[in-house]
Amino acid sequence: MTSTNPALHSAAPLSQTVPSVGEQFGRYTVERVEALPDVAATYIELKHELGSRHIHIARDDENAAFSVTFPTVPKDSTGVPHILEHIALMGSQRYPVSDPFFAMIPRSLNTFMNAMTSADWTTYLFSTRNPQDFQNLLGIYLDAAFFPRLTRESFLRDGHRFENADPADATSELKMQGVVYNEMKGAMASPGMLMGKALGQALYPDLTYANNSGGSPEHIPELTYENLKAFHAAHYHPSNAFFYSYGQTPLPELLDVIEQNVMAKFEPHPLDVQIPDQPNFEAPRQDSVPYPATDTERGSQVLLAWKVTPTYQAYDNLKWSVLSEVLLGNPAAPLYKPLIDSGLGSALADGSGYQDNFREAAFGAGLKGLSAENAPKVESLVLDTLRQIAENGLDDELIDSALHQFEIAQREVSNAGMPYALKMMFAVLNPWLYGGDPVASLNLADDLSKLKGERGQGRVFEPMIQKWLLDNPHRATLTLTPDPTMQEQQAQAEKAMVARLSAHLSDADRARIVKDALALQNAPEDDHALLPTLTLADITLDVPRPEYTREDLPHVSVFRAAQPTGGLVYLDVQLPLPELTGEQLELLPFYAFAVTRNGAAGLDPVALTRRIEAVTGGIGAAAGKGTGPDDLETVRTSLTFSGKALSRNAGELVKLLRDVIAEPNFSDERLGQLVNQRVAGMRSGLVSNGAAYASTLAGAQVSPLEALDERQGGFTAFKRLQQWQAGADWSGLRQRLEELTAIIKTASARLALSATEADLNLDLTPLAEVFGGQARHTATPTLAPRTPQARITDTPVAYNAVAYATVPYDHADSPALLVLSKLLRTEYLLKELREKGGAYGGSASFDSRSGVFTMSSYRDPHIARTFTVFGEVAGFLSGNLTERELTEALLSASRQLDPLLSADSVARSRIFSDLAGFSADKQEDYKARMMRVTLDDLRRVQRTYLTPERAAYATLSGRDPNAETEEQGLRFEVESI
């Protein structure tokens, strides 16, 4: 689509675009301009005559970002802000199509694109490196937020509706459906989510935080279509809007676009969304929350939580963040260690630490992985430990180390995890919304200096512990207790709710339900020509080629790359592994987890942790595996140690990595704690990561790489950890880890250093001397039996997957398979599984380096129907596809091949890709081959590789699937976890 605002294509140097305080841009007035020297940026704050506020971060970054946020304060748990977030993105006045958000994903080269609902705000946000894309998405987002259609059909689809088991048969069983309804059924089966909601309700019972802004499944059906529209009219107005932008986009032109497309169409509309203070408790409170789970022995959690100081007070916010890091930030921390050493539980409870996502902050501490009867012991332990700390004082070294971590965080500019452009948005958001100082959250130098001065005058943190924790009656002790009968009770309660709400339906009402269901199933195709799009000319065909040097020494190759890292040094030690047994390969991920959490070089775990915190921004280890570009059967394994530090501590980083690699000290007691932590962590993540687990379980049947992945990190790994936990043979485990250490030290090594030019001459000799230089050994893991696999756990929804083995990276068909995965996701699976089936997500993916093609569903009410959808891909592809769908699939595929990197990652990515055989030339050739893919190629590779005889199936759900899938000829091997 032709742009209506071509001015946004240009980007003048920042020195020419930074305005002055008091300067006006139309009806906007600049109220504040501040330098952010640590990240080479400028903060600009403006206000519009209608009352809306705007923060712009001017920074020389190719990635630009935008968001608009509305304070949304629900008064019930019907999920109105969450459902509205969905429906606002389902068609607007300017773009009257059913789902412009999902339709834009393949028409864009965005680096992030989403919307989110928090406890008291809703935000719509995106980032992209392409100026035209920024403009396109800006138009979509502005129109969606301020002028959505909010159709009844979208409310039924994503909110809630009655639907018969057979949508066309009014006499079949009536059920409750809806995308958000099913999403929240899955979410509220997660103990972490339940603890978060319980914390808000317990500490702030009189405020909006007592409600579930996402929606409680039992209350979502209470929301009416009229109430949804009224909530939008009240909250989604410029007078209640907070705009954010970042990058090189010229600010005057951006403001003009917002003025023309939004502001000019509104009058002032004051809205009181202020959240008052929660009245203080006169005495601590107790609350017990059940959740659906069968692990009554180790499934409980206990959390002590306090209401503390307002989050909008920047200096107090900093002090609490530091105190939380000191008390709980690492295994040596003085509150963390006694909790774990007690043996009452296995890991910190969900909600532990400082929580600044409320107007008045919370601090929590507790344990999970324990028996319910130990709850009183946890409460006493937390309080007794805090009394000892307040009386005896905190070690200044611990505080210095915590402040050191904040110094690193202040200076690091990284796109890891989320674009840095949006990390800055989230840093300013809460203080901005609550009336605090956003700049203080970005520019900590003044407050850090103030804290240093206050510490020079006496104790700072011990009085905080005494006042806000020990002497503060505004405390709640939350006990999360597994209930093996709860899932069945919830299922029966849902049936009773449907019966109650449908009891008075007339024949006409029931006919309308069928009509609505069929209308959703057979919705007409949208005219996507209404939406803006990029073209194939916007695809970047080259790949980053950062310069680096290579020096080959005995047993070690050293790579050095100059990068603008802001005075930080990043060091990776990759070890291509010699021959390992199958048991040792399975042990490798736990080794990587444990090796930096035990002792080393004569230091016990506490002393080593304190050393790590004092001189680095953290070190870690990870087990790696991969295949070559022309061979899927041979698996290469590796172990990589990584760390970062300020340049003044670079030498200490080298010594520390050397000691951890060469002289780890594994302790029996510590290994027992770590196994318990891993079991608790994996158990709590089974449901939230259900689609990934199911996909790996299916992939293990067709791919050697996936087979190893499943044994190292899937359900098999979880079962193995549980067996270790039950056997408690920690000395035997220690011996196996020590044997692995001896083998690791015989490996050859690759050292990759990313730093500024001044730090590139770092002496790496201490590391180079560790290794023996043994050659890499490859493995050929055995595939899992080709039998459909089902894992049963405590969840009311399903996670379904089918996987196919295809071809290696160099094969002519690989690019076509990648493009096919993008086409199926957006044009087929999202429509069939989400729009028609009510699942929260449906996806197709192709890993070009493992050769595995996967289709999956997420928080899915169906099992049999979804596997039928997976099997009907050929029918979809035989339909009337056009060049538009192909172009969009190519855009999506190119986005996967061009990830957003930054100074900390771009060189290491290039170095290790080159070493693995995926050179820049090879990657550019892959892109060139992809650009030649045709629709006929997509149909051909589907017929060749995505066939029933090549398929492997898996599901994670709360029920045995066989009764549902037997008509399809699918018979699952079922195992409870």
Side-chain angles (χ1 to χ4, degrees):
M1 176 173 284
T2 302
S3 167
T4 57
N5 300 292
L8 289 185
H9 281 285
S10 60
L14 294 182
S15 60
Q16 298 181 26
T17 60
V18 175
S20 302
V21 173
E23 191 171 347
Q24 290 190 302
F25 299 98
R27 294 194 288 169
Y28 285 93
T29 300
V30 178
E31 294 192 331
R32 188 174 184 183
V33 178
E34 298 277 356
L36 303 174
D38 284 340
V39 295
T42 302
Y43 171 100
I44 304 164
E45 186 173 341
L46 309 98
K47 189 170 183 179
H48 191 274
E49 288 179 7
L50 290 177
S52 68
R53 286 126 292 199
H54 192 125
I55 287 175
H56 179 69
I57 305 296
R59 189 167 184 274
D60 280 320
D61 187 340
E62 65 171 350
N63 195 47
F66 174 84
S67 70
V68 57
T69 302
F70 303 97
T72 47
V73 286
K75 298 179 180 180
D76 56 39
S77 293
T78 60
V80 57
H82 183 195
I83 294 172
L84 177 57
E85 172 222 310
H86 279 236
I87 296 175
L89 292 168
M90 294 171 64
S92 62
Q93 291 182 10
R94 189 175 170 190
Y95 305 105
V97 298
S98 64
D99 218 335
F101 174 77
F102 285 108
M104 281 301 297
I105 291 175
R107 305 168 76 87
S108 164
L109 292 174
N110 69 84
T111 52
F112 191 95
M113 184 177 169
N114 212 336
M116 302 174 185
T117 300
S118 182
D120 56 11
W121 50 256
T122 303
T123 189
Y124 299 82
L125 65 169
F126 69 84
S127 66
T128 179
R129 289 173 288 191
N130 184 289
Q132 180 63 60
D133 199 26
F134 182 91
Q135 185 174 327
N136 292 348
L137 294 174
L138 179 65
I140 293 287
Y141 270 64
L142 290 177
D143 212 53
F146 292 99
F147 309 106
R149 292 191 301 169
L150 302 182
T151 64
R152 178 177 175 275
E153 291 73 21
S154 62
F155 178 75
L156 293 176
R157 196 188 90 183
D158 271 46
H160 63 85
R161 67 183 185 275
F162 284 131
E163 186 171 288
N164 297 99
D166 178 353
D169 182 3
T171 65
S172 61
E173 182 184 3
L174 199 61
K175 296 185 176 183
M176 187 63 66
Q177 272 286 17
V179 171
V180 172
Y181 181 75
N182 288 318
E183 175 190 357
M184 295 310 296
K185 282 176 66 177
M188 299 314 293
S190 163
M193 179 71 77
L194 281 168
M195 181 65 87
K197 298 304 179 187
L199 187 152
Q201 189 170 32
L203 287 185
Y204 315 98
D206 303 317
L207 305 181
T208 188
Y209 306 121
N211 302 309
N212 186 341
S213 62
S216 297
E218 66 270 26
H219 293 298
I220 287 174
E222 298 168 7
L223 179 64
T224 67
Y225 176 47
E226 290 71 25
N227 286 344
L228 178 95
K229 292 190 292 184
F231 193 88
H232 178 272
H235 291 81
Y236 283 43
H237 188 281
S239 300
N240 190 44
F242 292 73
F243 294 88
Y244 168 88
S245 53
Y246 166 102
Q248 303 179 64
T249 302
L251 181 58
E253 287 85 348
L254 173 60
L255 298 177
D256 188 54
V257 171
I258 299 173
E259 177 68 36
Q260 292 179 29
N261 290 283
V262 176
M263 303 299 187
K265 302 176 183 181
F266 284 91
E267 298 294 330
H269 174 70
L271 175 66
D272 183 10
V273 290
Q274 293 298 310
I275 300 171
D277 292 341
Q278 167 65 46
N280 292 325
F281 296 170
E282 294 183 359
R285 302 182 181 183
Q286 304 272 340
D287 195 9
S288 181
V289 181
Y291 77 100
T294 55
D295 185 8
T296 55
E297 183 180 351
R298 299 175 182 268
S300 293
Q301 295 194 40
V302 178
L303 179 75
L304 275 70
W306 293 261
K307 185 191 77 168
V308 292
T309 54
T311 56
Y312 53 82
Q313 295 176 353
Y315 185 53
D316 285 341
N317 207 39
L318 171 64
K319 289 197 295 184
W320 272 105
S321 298
V322 173
L323 178 58
S324 181
E325 176 69 20
V326 171
L327 292 177
L328 293 168
N330 60 73
L335 183 53
Y336 183 115
K337 187 175 186 299
L339 283 169
I340 300 300
D341 287 351
S342 72
L344 295 172
S346 55
L348 292 181
D350 296 318
S352 293
Y354 181 58
Q355 311 288 326
D356 64 354
N357 52 327
F358 305 104
R359 183 176 172 274
E360 294 174 281
F363 178 83
L367 282 171
K368 64 182 175 183
L370 74 161
S371 300
E373 60 266 22
N374 284 330
K377 298 178 183 178
V378 174
E379 182 178 36
S380 298
L381 178 59
V382 170
L383 294 174
D384 290 345
T385 303
L386 288 172
R387 290 189 188 99
Q388 293 173 15
I389 294 170
E391 180 178 345
N392 299 328
L394 290 163
D395 189 333
D396 280 341
E397 182 182 326
L398 293 177
I399 301 172
D400 291 339
S401 294
L403 291 171
H404 172 242
Q405 300 306 309
F406 279 84
E407 181 183 359
I408 291 175
Q410 172 78 358
R411 297 173 63 172
E412 185 173 37
V413 177
S414 173
N415 289 317
M418 175 179 285
Y420 182 73
L422 294 173
K423 291 178 183 177
M424 295 191 80
M425 186 275 282
F426 283 111
V428 303
L429 191 58
N430 277 5
W432 193 22
L433 297 181
Y434 301 145
D437 180 8
V439 175
S441 64
L442 298 175
N443 204 356
L444 296 177
D446 290 343
D447 280 344
L448 286 170
S449 178
K450 180 180 177 181
L451 180 56
K452 180 179 179 181
E454 189 177 349
R455 286 182 66 200
Q457 298 174 11
R459 290 184 173 183
V460 174
F461 298 105
E462 293 84 353
M464 291 169 60
I465 294 173
Q466 189 68 47
K467 176 181 178 180
W468 292 102
L469 303 182
L470 294 173
D471 297 339
N472 182 6
H474 199 115
R475 183 181 86 225
T477 299
L478 303 174
T479 304
L480 207 62
T481 307
D483 182 349
T485 68
M486 189 172 177
Q487 185 168 318
E488 178 60 28
Q489 291 174 1
Q490 290 175 332
Q492 294 303 319
E494 181 177 5
K495 290 183 178 180
M497 176 184 67
V498 171
R500 173 174 52 83
L501 295 177
S502 63
H504 303 293
L505 292 177
S506 65
D507 290 343
D509 293 329
R510 294 181 182 276
R512 178 65 180 269
I513 290 171
V514 171
K515 181 180 178 181
D516 286 338
L518 294 178
L520 291 175
Q521 294 280 340
N522 301 290
E525 289 294 319
D526 289 317
D527 181 7
H528 284 180
L530 296 169
L531 297 172
T533 186
L534 297 180
T535 69
L536 297 183
D538 291 294
I539 293 176
T540 301
L541 296 178
D542 57 356
V543 299
R545 295 174 181 257
E547 293 185 1
Y548 63 86
T549 62
R550 174 171 181 163
E551 180 184 10
D552 290 316
L553 305 172
H555 310 160
V556 170
S557 295
V558 178
F559 304 83
R560 301 176 192 264
Q563 288 292 317
T565 58
L568 274 78
V569 169
Y570 297 88
L571 180 59
D572 297 279
V573 182
Q574 187 189 75
L575 309 176
L577 291 172
E579 183 174 2
L580 300 178
T581 66
E583 181 184 13
Q584 288 170 334
L585 283 173
E586 292 173 350
L587 182 62
L588 198 60
F590 182 77
Y591 183 97
F593 174 74
V595 70
T596 59
R597 292 170 172 84
N598 272 268
L603 299 177
D604 64 22
V606 171
L608 180 63
T609 298
R610 294 181 68 160
R611 181 181 168 194
I612 292 171
E613 293 284 306
V615 298
T616 78
I619 64 170
K625 51 191 169 292
T627 57
D630 57 356
D631 178 12
L632 296 179
E633 300 301 314
T634 304
V635 176
R636 307 166 178 177
T637 59
S638 63
L639 181 67
T640 300
F641 292 82
S642 302
K644 62 185 176 184
L646 296 170
S647 60
R648 66 174 184 262
N649 294 321
E652 291 300 317
L653 172 64
V654 173
K655 294 176 184 177
L656 186 57
L657 285 170
R658 181 265 168 209
D659 288 347
V660 168
I661 296 170
E663 301 182 54
N665 298 331
F666 295 105
S667 132
D668 292 2
E669 179 184 11
R670 183 68 179 134
L671 289 175
Q673 293 173 349
L674 293 175
V675 168
N676 290 336
Q677 286 180 28
R678 291 293 279 179
V679 170
M682 290 187 75
R683 185 189 307 281
S684 65
L686 285 176
V687 173
S688 58
N689 298 309
Y693 277 107
S695 296
T696 302
L697 191 62
Q701 303 170 44
V702 297
S703 161
L705 188 66
E706 290 287 296
L708 179 57
D709 194 28
E710 207 286 318
R711 294 203 287 273
Q712 287 187 330
F715 293 122
T716 300
F718 180 53
K719 187 175 181 179
R720 185 187 315 115
L721 286 163
Q722 289 178 303
Q723 291 170 345
W724 291 354
Q725 187 181 58
D729 179 14
W730 309 131
S731 63
L733 177 59
R734 172 176 49 78
Q735 291 172 10
R736 295 196 298 274
L737 294 174
E738 290 170 349
E739 292 169 0
L740 197 50
T741 296
I743 296 173
I744 288 168
K745 290 194 294 183
T746 69
S748 57
R750 298 154 168 181
L751 311 184
L753 176 68
S754 295
T756 61
E757 192 74 48
D759 296 319
L760 275 189
N761 292 325
L762 179 64
D763 182 10
L764 301 176
T765 304
L767 273 170
E769 294 173 344
V770 170
F771 305 104
Q774 189 170 335
R776 175 200 287 272
H777 181 83
T778 56
T780 45
T782 304
L783 300 183
R786 181 73 69 82
T787 303
Q789 296 292 313
R791 297 295 180 266
I792 308 301
T793 191
D794 306 298
T795 174
V797 288
Y799 305 82
N800 305 303
V802 60
Y804 307 86
T806 63
V807 296
Y809 189 88
D810 280 351
H811 193 281
D813 288 341
S814 180
L817 286 160
L818 177 62
V819 177
L820 176 63
S821 71
K822 304 305 180 182
L823 179 72
L824 291 181
R825 179 183 185 272
T826 56
E827 296 296 330
Y828 179 59
L829 293 174
L830 278 173
K831 294 177 180 179
E832 290 294 329
L833 302 183
R834 182 181 170 103
E835 296 179 16
K836 298 179 182 181
Y840 182 60
S843 185
S845 63
F846 176 65
D847 186 338
S848 60
R849 297 196 181 190
S850 73
V852 176
F853 192 106
T854 306
M855 290 183 280
S856 63
S857 67
Y858 185 77
R859 291 179 181 167
D860 189 348
H862 304 288
I863 297 178
R865 179 188 183 278
T866 296
F867 283 112
T868 297
V869 170
F870 291 158
E872 294 178 345
V873 168
F876 161 73
L877 289 174
S878 66
N880 186 28
L881 296 173
T882 69
E883 289 299 311
R884 174 188 67 79
E885 288 90 354
L886 177 62
T887 295
E888 293 176 3
L890 286 165
L891 285 166
S892 291
S894 72
R895 190 168 66 245
Q896 178 175 322
L897 298 176
D898 190 22
L900 181 65
L901 301 172
S902 45
D904 60 317
S905 58
V906 64
R908 69 171 81 167
S909 175
R910 179 75 275 135
I911 291 167
F912 292 130
S913 289
D914 288 349
L915 290 169
F918 297 90
S919 66
D921 287 344
K922 190 174 289 289
Q923 290 179 353
E924 288 179 354
D925 175 69
Y926 191 97
K927 285 187 173 186
R929 290 189 287 133
M930 180 189 73
M931 297 301 290
R932 297 192 292 269
V933 167
T934 67
L935 287 170
D936 285 342
D937 289 330
L938 303 188
R939 297 183 178 105
R940 177 180 54 78
V941 296
Q942 183 277 320
R943 291 193 304 269
T944 304
Y945 304 108
L946 274 59
T947 59
E949 62 273 13
R950 298 173 66 94
Y953 304 94
T955 183
L956 171 68
S957 70
R959 61 190 189 271
D960 186 326
N962 284 309
E964 302 170 50
T965 61
E966 59 184 357
E967 292 184 4
Q968 300 168 270
L970 280 180
R971 183 71 188 176
F972 285 84
E973 184 176 283
V974 180
E975 183 178 323
S976 295
I977 54 173

